[in-house]
Amino acid sequence: MTPVCRLIGAIALAGAFVGPALAQSVPPMGVTITDPGGSYASTRVELGLNKSTVVELETPASDVVITNPAIADAVVQTSKRIIFRGVSVGQTNAIIFDAGGRQLANLDLNVELKTSELEALIKKHVPDARVEVESANGRMLVSGFVDDASQMDQVREIIGLYAPTGMDDILNLVEIAAKDQVLLRVKIVEMQRGVTKQLGINLTGTSVNDDITSSIGTVLGFNATGGSQGGLVGSASAVLNRAAGVPQLTLDASFSALERIGLSRTLAEPNIVAISGETGDFLAGGEFPIPVSVDDQGRLGIEFKRFGVSLAFTPVVLSEGRIHLKVSTEVSELSAQGSVNINGLTIPGLSTRRVTSAVEIPSGSSMMLAGLIQSTSRQGMDQLPGINEVPVLGALFQSRDFVNSETELVVVVTPYLVDPSQPSDLRSPDAGYSLASDLEAFLFGKLNDMYSRGERIDPAAYQAPVGFIEE
């Protein structure tokens, strides 16, 4: 085969592959394909949901075709007047032909919820809100600016009245101009005072006659406190009869006396920062294990429960300087009261004091939750019936204990609107700290070297509270 023949064959082979592809992309001769919106008569029309738009024609129409009648429909009132109505949210198109089959109009119909009435309602009830509301594919999109979170909540509530399925259909792009970082300074103080008194006497008489020994006595305990708590304890023994041939009598006496006064103080002063609408949490204490389940092999499932001083708060900035604050404070400690013993495993109880409150206060102002007082008194007396009625002598056959406990919890909270500060303005507690050398620790008993004084902070440039600029 000559080179010319080979070249002609290659061209023919290439045409065999290229030809079908061109046949698919290029319409046959005499055929015109018009894409939506691609006609000289194409127009975009915005239809309100459940609202109508009137289209006036110069040339009489003969036929109207709507792609999806479930989204929009048409009523041909006259040959030159057609009314389109939005049925449901979505997009479709409508083509209008004349008697000769020529296109008079190719309409892209976009059916959305009209928001002009909604924007007017927002402007009426929230005049300071600078927002715009749009409908996008059935959802409500709100953008713009508001002064604080309170205005944003009002705008959302109004839009929710128009949204098809409520708040879930609202896309929020609004910016809040007010500061939204809140520093909460909390002081938690709990004072406990306890008084315990115990006084008891037990008598035991013993008789020995040859090989027979008999005894009788009292065993009087302290029921209110659960047993002797110590204190002054004494005992005495006396032989009442030493004559020969007569049973020997012995009297034993023991007594216990105690008066105890206790005072305890619990103090926590956390500073927590949270964004408006978010929750901040604080715990100074620990966690203890509690068995919650047992598997087939006898292994215990453990869950940890917190105890100590805990705080949770949720701030909402309503306007500049006003803060809605929800505070929950709890002081708990392990206690033998309410403890449970399961198969030799003792699970302690919890003594808990808890307070929850919601208030509205200005930035920088303080609120005190006080008057949370608990007073408990327990008293018990063990006696011998009959003998306890005898004056003076009855006191030798009784045991008495008394317990009084008083607790008061006070919580002081102070919120501040704050901004982050510069790292150069911060000072940490370990600034200048250095360990003592081995020689200083051995000879002088030092654990740390002398702190460096560092740079002096100008009082005029001091920005508090720690790490934030207070407003």
Side-chain angles (χ1 to χ4, degrees):
M1 182 181 291
T2 64
V4 175
C5 293
R6 287 198 297 268
L7 177 61
I8 295 174
I11 294 173
L13 182 63
F17 286 100
V18 175
L22 293 175
Q24 293 177 1
S25 59
V26 178
M29 295 183 62
V31 177
T32 303
I33 298 177
T34 304
D35 294 327
S39 169
Y40 68 92
S42 296
T43 305
R44 182 177 178 85
V45 178
E46 297 289 339
L47 280 178
L49 182 64
N50 297 322
K51 294 182 180 297
S52 298
T53 297
V54 179
V55 176
E56 301 283 354
L57 301 173
E58 295 182 356
T59 304
S62 176
D63 194 10
V64 178
V65 178
I66 296 180
T67 305
N68 190 350
I71 294 179
D73 63 5
V75 176
V76 181
Q77 191 175 24
T78 67
S79 61
K80 292 186 178 183
R81 177 179 297 165
I82 303 174
I83 301 175
F84 291 91
R85 183 176 67 91
V87 178
S88 62
V89 174
Q91 294 81 34
T92 187
N93 66 325
I95 305 174
I96 305 175
F97 299 93
D98 62 6
R102 294 183 298 272
Q103 289 189 32
L104 297 179
N106 189 335
L107 307 179
D108 283 337
L109 304 179
N110 182 34
V111 180
E112 295 288 356
L113 182 67
K114 290 294 185 180
T115 59
S116 55
E117 296 180 2
L118 177 58
E119 290 181 342
L121 193 63
I122 294 175
K123 189 171 183 179
K124 175 182 177 182
H125 294 281
V126 193
D128 295 332
R130 302 168 298 281
V131 298
E132 295 181 357
V133 184
E134 304 173 51
S135 177
N137 201 25
R139 301 189 64 185
M140 308 298 291
L141 188 149
V142 54
S143 60
F145 299 90
V146 294
D147 294 334
D148 50 65
S150 177
Q151 288 186 4
M152 185 66 252
D153 290 340
Q154 294 174 3
V155 171
R156 281 175 54 86
E157 291 290 338
I158 295 175
I159 297 177
L161 300 176
Y162 283 76
T165 59
M167 295 297 185
D168 294 336
D169 279 342
I170 300 176
L171 180 59
N172 186 6
L173 301 180
V174 176
E175 296 185 17
I176 299 177
K179 297 180 180 179
D180 60 352
Q181 280 196 134
V182 179
L183 167 69
L184 186 66
R185 175 178 293 173
V186 185
K187 186 173 184 179
I188 305 171
V189 180
E190 184 188 48
M191 298 295 295
Q192 293 183 350
R193 179 179 181 271
V195 177
T196 302
K197 296 180 181 181
Q198 292 182 334
L199 177 62
I201 300 176
N202 282 318
L203 300 176
T204 304
T206 304
S207 173
V208 180
N209 185 10
D210 296 333
D211 296 333
I212 301 175
T213 301
S214 59
S215 61
I216 186 173
T218 61
V219 182
L220 305 176
F222 302 104
N223 295 325
T225 56
S228 177
Q229 303 294 311
L232 180 63
V233 178
S235 62
S237 179
V239 178
L240 302 181
N241 185 7
R242 295 180 180 275
V246 178
Q248 184 176 347
L249 300 177
T250 304
L251 180 64
D252 297 317
S254 62
F255 69 94
S256 176
L258 168 71
E259 181 172 354
R260 176 181 296 167
I261 298 176
L263 184 66
S264 65
R265 176 190 183 213
T266 303
L267 175 65
E269 294 189 67
N271 291 339
I272 313 174
V273 180
I275 298 176
S276 177
E278 300 295 330
T279 299
D281 189 18
F282 163 83
L283 172 66
E287 297 182 342
F288 69 98
I290 297 177
V292 293
S293 62
V294 181
D295 61 13
D296 297 337
Q297 300 179 0
R299 293 176 298 189
L300 290 177
I302 299 298
E303 183 179 286
F304 287 87
K305 185 172 181 61
R306 306 198 310 179
F307 70 95
V309 180
S310 64
L311 169 73
F313 83 105
T314 304
V316 176
V317 180
L318 301 178
S319 62
E320 196 68 28
R322 291 172 54 241
I323 302 172
H324 175 83
L325 196 64
K326 183 177 182 180
V327 183
S328 178
T329 305
E330 180 178 302
V331 178
S332 59
E333 59 185 353
L334 300 179
S335 173
Q337 296 182 8
S339 61
V340 179
N341 191 293
I342 303 177
N343 297 329
L345 178 64
T346 301
I347 304 173
L350 275 180
S351 176
T352 305
R353 277 77 63 198
R354 182 184 299 112
V355 57
T356 301
S357 180
V359 296
E360 182 180 322
I361 53 178
S363 174
S365 298
S366 297
M367 175 198 67
M368 174 180 285
L369 302 177
L372 305 174
I373 301 174
Q374 179 183 10
S375 180
T376 304
S377 297
R378 298 193 307 274
Q379 187 170 200
M381 181 176 292
D382 288 7
Q383 298 175 328
L384 288 182
I387 301 180
N388 63 307
E389 302 294 340
V390 180
V392 182
L393 182 62
L396 300 177
F397 296 91
Q398 69 179 17
S399 175
R400 176 180 178 270
D401 58 344
F402 170 78
V403 179
N404 183 53
S405 176
E406 296 178 350
T407 302
E408 182 174 7
L409 177 65
V410 176
V411 181
V412 182
V413 295
T414 307
Y416 298 93
L417 292 174
V418 294
D419 285 330
S421 62
Q422 298 297 323
S424 58
D425 297 333
L426 307 180
R427 295 292 183 272
S428 61
D430 63 343
Y433 174 78
S434 61
L435 294 172
S437 64
D438 294 341
L439 184 62
E440 291 176 326
F442 181 75
L443 295 179
F444 303 105
K446 289 186 176 181
L447 298 178
N448 60 275
D449 201 355
M450 182 176 295
Y451 277 51
S452 61
R453 300 187 62 175
E455 300 180 3
R456 181 177 179 83
I457 301 177
D458 184 7
Y462 179 68
Q463 298 174 351
V466 177
F468 293 91
I469 301 173
E470 182 179 323
E471 184 168 286

